[in-house]
Amino acid sequence: MANLKDVAKKAEVSIATVSRVINKTGKVDTTTEYRVNSVIKELNYKPSTVAQRLRNQNNKSRLIGLILPDIQNPFYVDVIQGVEELVWKEGYAVVIGNFSQDEKKEQLYLDIFQSESVVGFIVAPASGTDKKVKELIKTGSRVVCVDRGMNDDSTDVVLMDNEKGAFEAVNHLIKLGHRKIAIIAGSKNIPTTNQRIQGYKNALECHNIPVVDDYIVSKDSTQKSGVKLTEYLLKSPDPPTAIFTGNNLITLGALETIHKSGLKIPDDVALIGFDDMPWSYALNPPLTAVRQSGFEIGQRAAELLLQRIQKPDGAIAKLILKTQLIIRQSCGAKQSNLC
Amino acid sequence: MANLKDVAKKAEVSIATVSRVINKTGKVDTTTEYRVNSVIKELNYKPSTVAQRLRNQNNKSRLIGLILPDIQNPFYVDVIQGVEELVWKEGYAVVIGNFSQDEKKEQLYLDIFQSESVVGFIVAPASGTDKKVKELIKTGSRVVCVDRGMNDDSTDVVLMDNEKGAFEAVNHLIKLGHRKIAIIAGSKNIPTTNQRIQGYKNALECHNIPVVDDYIVSKDSTQKSGVKLTEYLLKSPDPPTAIFTGNNLITLGALETIHKSGLKIPDDVALIGFDDMPWSYALNPPLTAVRQSGFEIGQRAAELLLQRIQKPDGAIAKLILKTQLIIRQSCGAKQSNLC
DNA sequence: ATTACAAGTGTAATCGTTTTCATAAACTGA
DNA sequence: TCAGTTTATGAAAACGATTACACTTGTAAT
């Protein structure tokens, strides 16, 4: 690759002049400017970002590091899309690290990204006490958390109101007359899971319906465990009349089992899912679901990050986005007017 | 951040010695080595990758650039996952550019990634004559194409056998007795679309069924156009008894319309989709579909890229992966034994 | 005692930029 | 005509690392 020196020699000027032409800093004669520009084109010269970055210490990359627990989950894909779309307008690209719920992998991605000098991080941290994240902040990196925050509120964060979302879902089921309501939750290691379980309990308690431990099942946040746990619930001596699934993958697993066992939705068993997905409406019957917009989370997080980059010392923001209950046909329509 | 000089001063040695300790090159006294290492830890010193890269001209990043047309499409998410999983083992991270079928955006991402000195690119190019991609190859970048290749076979490429996949799908419908078969294809600008249409035609011709132009509809590869075009087909004077949808998003759109119009699958209209998705089995009835493994494409592409990085001048590979017809219940079961 | 060699270390050049400072030439105004 | 100013340019220092080379010791071989 041609460098400044090559261009300078060919244009018969000093490298300083070439640099001035490129960066439009300082006076340059019009004719030399023209000459230099021709040579640049001729040699297809592109300044070395590496050298620039070394020289201009503050010259960060045009990369934003996005570190997520599970790219297989379409929810996080929406987050990616949200971030990408917003950040793109400012000329940034997104680097993605998928750590598959593995904290070690998360740490390594943070390391790699840091050494690639990303301008900032958007992270859904594996734990609320992530040492590496704290270290990053201390050393002046910009970090925004999504979906899950740091315990000590040391970063900007964009969260969903999971508890309320779950409450509304279960409340909806209760209003339709259901009393035997089960929840298939995701991994208990994830804060959001516990928030959703809490919302579920709150709704039951609000209607004086006893919380039955057998109706609260969880393993991990995969489709497979959705299949298994639904089987377990349906085979139990007193099966629930309604199931609330903790995320979109679990919902798919539950659907699989319900169809296999020949039960009808919503007459034999009602289903309501956390996560509204593109396929929710295509189901038969269309799925009633709690919508959380990954796209919006992504966008907000990106906004916060860009702000933080501009104003490193601004107040720390904590955004809690509302979920939306999308009522379709998977819970039946028998109305009642409790609550 | 501390640099070599700081460490050297504090450890009372020259920067050369510090460098030697870090890189374990050259002789260093055990006690000085120990001293230097302590200081490094104390100051939390990390070598500047930027400076290293400038110095060691060949020192590339640990990033692989992945440039895709539509991250909203779960198929490409599978590709990402495939790449990520394989490449991760070799200590690389993945940078993702989502160009939303916009060639300009694609070019810009290629530029950004190049200036971030990625070790290699995996691209699903917007067009088979992409100038920028060719330029990259000329300047020594490693490029592997996925899903769509370069016209002149100038890069390694991993493709699906779309024509055969479509053929088998339509053949399946014909064997079940269908004669009025429509195809809702994706954007005609994408090579894969045309391959799938070709496979569709081949199957009809193979059974001496006339190809009816009215049954071949296409717009773009979105859910929305799936909705619209299905409406169009079902309202036509002689509606098809079976629909073959060109990708997973179109399938969702078609399902939406079919359910809305109260028709039963497969009795009123059979449906077969290109792309088997996690939700295919959760549908009611479960969807018969042509499976193409994005994950496998991703993995293979990553393999090729890593090989190419090691052996820049090896022979160019063209991998064509087979699709798999997953027969479920969305096409009915009336057997016939033509063909 | 002298030479030869190895071990341990430091000096300085280098990678490709940007930018400060110096300087020569050209212009200004009395 | 000459001081003062502006314009156009170049030389050289930095950014933070690596590394070839030179240098000082100490030790072994003669």
Side-chain angles (χ1 to χ4, degrees), chain A residues 324-339:
Chain A
Q324 195 187 351
L325 185 63
I326 308 292
I327 298 177
R328 298 202 187 89
Q329 285 108 62
S330 68
C331 298
K334 325 159 220 172
Q335 285 291 350
S336 109
N337 43 5
L338 287 163
C339 211

Side-chain angles (χ1 to χ4, degrees), chain A residues 4 19 23 45 48 52 55-56:
Chain A
L4 259 196
S19 176
N23 301 303
Y45 167 77
S48 146
Q52 286 179 320
R55 176 59 224 237
N56 302 351

Side-chain angles (χ1 to χ4, degrees), chain B residues 85-111:
Chain B
E85 203 162 283
L86 195 135
V87 125
W88 162 256
K89 292 179 201 144
E90 311 292 324
Y92 293 105
V94 180
V95 210
I96 295 178
N98 172 37
F99 63 85
S100 312
Q101 310 283 7
D102 174 350
E103 191 158 352
K104 249 190 222 150
K105 199 167 169 184
E106 184 202 357
Q107 311 289 306
L108 269 161
Y109 265 126
L110 287 167
D111 266 343

Side-chain angles (χ1 to χ4, degrees), chain A residues 10-243:
Chain A
K10 190 144 199 172
E12 295 174 310
V13 290
S14 75
I15 57 168
T17 302
V18 180
S19 176
R20 276 190 280 256
V21 169
I22 292 168
N23 301 303
K24 301 190 204 316
T25 118
K27 312 269 174 195
V28 173
D29 190 272
T30 332
T31 69
T32 35
E33 182 177 352
Y34 178 82
R35 188 151 36 95
V36 169
N37 275 323
S38 327
V39 175
I40 288 177
K41 245 188 210 144
E42 189 186 341
L43 298 184
N44 189 24
Y45 167 77
K46 295 245 171 61
S48 146
T49 32
V50 172
Q52 286 179 320
R53 221 166 272 168
L54 179 60
R55 176 59 224 237
N56 302 351
Q57 294 298 52
N58 61 338
N59 187 350
K60 280 284 187 174
S61 71
R62 305 253 70 186
L63 296 179
I64 289 188
L66 181 50
I67 298 183
L68 298 173
D70 181 14
I71 204 185
Q72 200 70 308
N73 186 333
F75 168 69
Y76 287 114
V77 177
D78 286 346
V79 175
I80 298 176
Q81 176 122 14
V83 173
E84 202 263 352
E85 205 163 280
L86 195 135
V87 124
W88 162 256
K89 292 178 202 144
E90 310 293 325
Y92 293 105
V94 179
V95 208
I96 295 179
N98 172 37
F99 62 85
S100 312
Q101 310 283 5
D102 173 351
E103 191 158 351
K104 249 190 223 149
K105 199 167 169 185
E106 183 201 357
Q107 310 289 306
L108 270 160
Y109 266 126
L110 287 166
D111 267 342
I112 296 183
F113 288 5
Q114 189 181 23
S115 77
E116 295 304 334
S117 52
V118 298
V119 265
F121 297 85
I122 296 177
V123 190
S127 100
T129 56
D130 199 307
K131 263 172 50 188
K132 187 83 199 161
V133 169
K134 290 189 179 173
E135 193 188 309
L136 282 177
I137 296 167
K138 219 184 281 173
T139 58
S141 291
R142 326 290 181 218
V143 183
V144 172
C145 289
V146 287
D147 198 37
R148 322 158 177 189
M150 287 283 103
N151 289 351
D152 56 359
D153 292 337
S154 49
T155 68
D156 294 307
V157 60
V158 183
L159 303 170
M160 293 306 306
D161 196 340
N162 287 290
E163 198 174 311
K164 194 166 166 209
F167 179 95
E168 285 172 355
V170 177
N171 192 49
H172 175 67
L173 290 170
I174 296 172
K175 283 213 270 189
L176 292 176
H178 290 281
R179 289 299 173 272
K180 297 194 284 184
I181 302 172
I183 178 171
I184 305 179
S187 162
K188 290 253 200 178
N189 298 323
I190 310 175
T192 53
T193 296
N194 298 305
Q195 292 157 13
R196 290 172 198 175
I197 293 178
Q198 190 57 49
Y200 161 87
K201 287 182 181 168
N202 291 351
L204 293 181
E205 279 161 9
C206 164
H207 293 272
N208 296 313
I209 301 173
V211 173
V212 182
D213 281 345
D214 284 352
Y215 284 162
I216 305 180
V217 296
S218 77
K219 197 169 160 206
D220 50 32
S221 309
T222 61
Q223 184 159 352
K224 203 167 174 186
S225 90
V227 171
K228 292 287 174 200
L229 292 175
T230 307
E231 278 172 8
Y232 170 83
L233 285 173
L234 295 181
K235 273 187 200 153
S236 70
D238 189 19
T241 63
I243 296 177

Side-chain angles (χ1 to χ4, degrees), chain B residues 3-4 19 23 45 47-48 52 55:
Chain B
N3 59 18
L4 257 197
S19 176
N23 301 301
Y45 166 76
S48 147
Q52 286 179 321
R55 177 58 225 239

Side-chain angles (χ1 to χ4, degrees), chain A residues 114 139, chain B residues 1-3 6 43-46:
Chain A
Q114 189 181 23
T139 58
Chain B
M1 272 298 262
N3 59 18
D6 301 333
L43 299 184
N44 190 24
Y45 166 76
K46 296 243 173 62

